[in-house]
Amino acid sequence: MTSPRQPDPAFPAGDRGAAEPLRRNVAHAQRRRNSLTKRILLSVAGAVAAVAVAVGAFAAYSYVDLSNGLHRSNITLPGAGKKKDVAESNILVMGLDSRLDENGNALPTDVYNALHAGNQGDGGYNANVLMLIHIPAGGKKAVGISIPRDDYAPLSGSPDGVSASKIKEAYGLALDQKLTELMKAGVAQSDAYQQARTFARQTELQTVSDFLGGVRIDHFIEVTMAAFYQVAQAVQPITVCVAQDTQDPYSGADFKAGVQQLTASQAVSFVRQRRDENNTALNFTDLDRERRQQAFIVSLATKLKKADTFANPATLESLISAAKQNIALDSGFDLLSFASEAQHLAGGNITFTTLPITGYGVKDGKDVNLVDPNQIHAVVQQLLNPATATPTPTATPGATTQASAPPTTPAASPSPTASTPAGPNGTYTDPNAPLPSGGVPCVK
């Protein structure tokens, strides 16, 4: 099977309406994308969840301005009506590999230069970042669940006739299907594009919900590639820590081992890096990129907590502008209600986990991650509904009691060494353990 079609409604500068039909641009973009996708797919989850935090944090200051400018989709959210506690929330964060804004317009040239990821003719509409943020009731610790983009999964509704593929492709296939239908029906290009985006979001959300075992999704946050860069640009520098020297000319990554301050452009390279041809022992995989995305979120949350980031009017204006152009939400997402939760997350009350895979394989001619659905469902349920330790019963005089077993304590992370430097929080995070918030962890 060939790579799925991914529409790209980019038009020549200054000619959004007539010259070349949208479908011809789709075909052109696909040819360009086939040669580039394998080497320059942006992982934007770091900024995606960071955007969630940022949006909530400054919503109270600029609510009217921001709310009036954001893109919204009126969709049916999976599991609607299953909510047990109104204070609990599941938010799906989706990061697209599109090199366009939410209106399908090209980005400024300086942004393309900073991204090291081609131009408006590259990329597509794969949901390369999928992360479920679970915010429990009662101020308990939240959890971020990263879903590797290449996990092989059934696609809701078989968009474009594809019943199963990489989970990230549900969005682009659905968009392509709906866009084709609407344009054949004579719907205006701009209207067809936005309606197709809504259909794509609906399809991706349902696909993810099914994949996770029917998990309820209360809201979604969608960002384009530019959102990552613009948010990072507004709050730079960002502190990160890498375990070894590493370089990657494709992403522009060039980092020395240890703690360092990154510019916005370097932050893009940090979360995009997927190889090091000079040090093949590093053996990067997409799972390592998931880890970097999580590390970026943790580092940015730490910065937001300690710095007066949102006291700067220029910073707020930059974040609002980025949100209007490059972020979409569901129609029921109340930013004011989310503001306090977002600040709570920025305070470090969240832990990140990547869902397991069983191995790698080839399906329909594509390299994919193989998964065990039952294992995925069990892990997700454990993360969303963690067991509480049973207290040891008080002994009654004259009676014999058997105390319950103490709760399991996670294994200690390995001590930092010369090749695995400690982050500013004084610990080195075990790459196989959930990533805690509240510091700046070292990652591969």
Side-chain angles (χ1 to χ4, degrees), residues 17-67:
E20 192 165 339
L22 180 56
R23 294 293 301 162
R24 194 174 304 164
N25 278 278
V26 170
H28 172 69
Q30 181 62 46
R31 289 192 297 272
R32 299 258 335 250
R33 182 163 54 254
N34 286 340
S35 64
L36 289 167
T37 298
K38 291 182 180 179
R39 63 184 178 84
I40 52 172
L41 288 178
L42 174 67
S43 294
V44 298
V48 171
V51 167
V53 173
V55 167
F58 66 75
Y61 299 96
S62 307
Y63 176 70
V64 175
D65 185 23
L66 177 64
S67 186

Side-chain angles (χ1 to χ4, degrees), residues 72 95 108 117-118 129 154 179 246 251 288 311 317 376-378 386 391 397:
R72 300 263 188 179
V129 173
L179 190 60
T246 182
S251 65
D288 295 312
E317 184 61 33
I376 294 295
H377 299 169

Side-chain angles (χ1 to χ4, degrees), residues 271-289:
V271 297
R272 282 185 60 221
Q273 185 176 4
R274 58 181 301 187
R275 59 171 61 80
D276 186 328
E277 296 179 348
N278 296 326
N279 185 0
T280 55
L282 285 175
N283 190 29
F284 279 105
T285 69
D286 270 353
L287 301 186
D288 295 312
R289 294 208 301 173

Side-chain angles (χ1 to χ4, degrees), residues 23-374:
R23 294 293 301 162
R24 194 174 304 164
N25 278 278
V26 170
H28 172 69
Q30 181 62 46
R31 289 192 297 272
R32 299 258 335 250
R33 182 163 54 254
N34 286 340
S35 64
L36 289 167
T37 298
K38 291 182 180 179
R39 63 184 178 84
I40 52 172
L41 288 178
L42 174 67
S43 294
V44 298
V48 171
V51 167
V53 173
V55 167
F58 66 75
Y61 299 96
S62 307
Y63 176 70
V64 175
D65 185 23
L66 177 64
S67 186
N68 289 342
L70 284 173
H71 287 76
R72 300 263 188 179
S73 276
N74 186 16
I75 66 176
T76 301
L77 294 161
K82 292 183 179 179
K83 202 166 188 175
K84 297 180 180 179
D85 192 315
V86 293
E88 179 185 271
S89 187
N90 293 332
I91 303 170
L92 182 65
V93 181
M94 299 186 292
L96 306 185
D97 67 346
S98 172
R99 275 68 163 170
L100 306 170
D101 67 13
E102 287 288 353
N103 289 316
N105 295 317
L107 305 174
T109 301
D110 64 316
V111 175
Y112 286 126
N113 292 338
L115 292 175
H116 298 286
N119 56 33
Q120 65 265 35
D122 302 314
Y125 288 93
N126 286 331
N128 272 359
V129 173
L130 292 167
M131 181 182 291
L132 186 75
I133 305 295
H134 173 66
I135 304 174
K140 299 177 182 177
K141 186 177 286 291
V143 61
I145 305 174
S146 292
I147 306 164
R149 61 181 189 171
D150 289 342
D151 283 4
Y152 191 73
L155 305 186
S156 177
S158 299
D160 257 353
V162 180
S163 60
S165 191
K166 298 179 181 182
I167 194 168
K168 67 181 181 182
E169 294 176 352
Y171 192 113
L173 289 167
L175 189 150
D176 186 55
Q177 173 185 312
K178 182 59 68 173
L179 190 60
T180 301
E181 294 173 357
L182 293 172
M183 293 192 67
K184 284 182 177 179
V187 178
Q189 290 175 359
S190 59
D191 291 339
Y193 178 63
Q194 292 301 334
Q195 290 179 42
R197 292 291 291 266
T198 292
F199 181 73
R201 292 162 186 150
Q202 179 83 66
T203 302
E204 187 69 58
L205 262 68
Q206 189 63 57
T207 296
V208 170
S209 174
D210 294 342
F211 179 75
L212 299 180
V215 167
R216 187 192 75 252
I217 299 178
D218 301 303
H219 300 292
F220 77 83
I221 300 174
E222 172 191 294
V223 303
T224 65
M225 179 181 285
F228 174 87
Y229 173 71
Q230 291 174 333
V231 169
Q233 191 176 42
V235 299
Q236 64 185 338
I238 304 297
T239 305
V240 301
C241 181
V242 294
Q244 298 184 43
D245 292 357
T246 182
Q247 290 183 319
D248 172 25
Y250 295 103
S251 65
D254 186 0
F255 306 118
K256 298 297 182 183
V259 179
Q260 52 220 279
Q261 301 286 319
L262 302 187
T263 64
S265 182
Q266 289 173 322
V268 173
S269 297
F270 176 77
V271 297
R272 282 185 60 221
Q273 185 176 4
R274 58 181 301 187
R275 59 171 61 80
D276 186 328
E277 296 179 348
N278 296 326
N279 185 0
T280 55
L282 285 175
N283 190 29
F284 279 105
T285 69
D286 270 353
L287 301 186
D288 295 312
R289 294 208 301 173
E290 299 282 352
R291 194 68 165 183
R292 284 197 175 195
Q293 294 162 8
Q294 297 165 0
F296 181 90
I297 299 171
V298 169
S299 297
L300 184 54
T302 300
K303 179 181 178 70
L304 295 178
K305 178 184 179 182
K306 295 180 178 178
D308 294 328
T309 305
F310 301 107
N312 187 326
T315 298
L316 293 179
E317 184 61 33
S318 296
L319 291 171
I320 291 172
S321 177
K324 286 181 177 180
Q325 297 174 49
N326 301 300
I327 295 177
L329 308 171
D330 59 276
S331 58
F333 203 138
D334 184 346
L335 291 178
L336 279 180
S337 297
F338 181 61
S340 60
E341 289 292 353
Q343 293 177 17
H344 189 52
L345 297 182
N349 196 32
I350 186 169
T351 299
F352 295 93
T353 297
T354 301
L355 291 180
I357 66 172
T358 59
Y360 302 98
V362 177
K363 295 286 188 179
D364 301 319
K366 293 178 286 190
D367 295 327
V368 301
N369 300 330
L370 302 177
V371 301
D372 178 350
N374 292 329

Side-chain angles (χ1 to χ4, degrees), residues 382 386-390 404-412 434:
Q382 183 179 23
T388 55
T390 303
S404 60
T408 302
T409 301

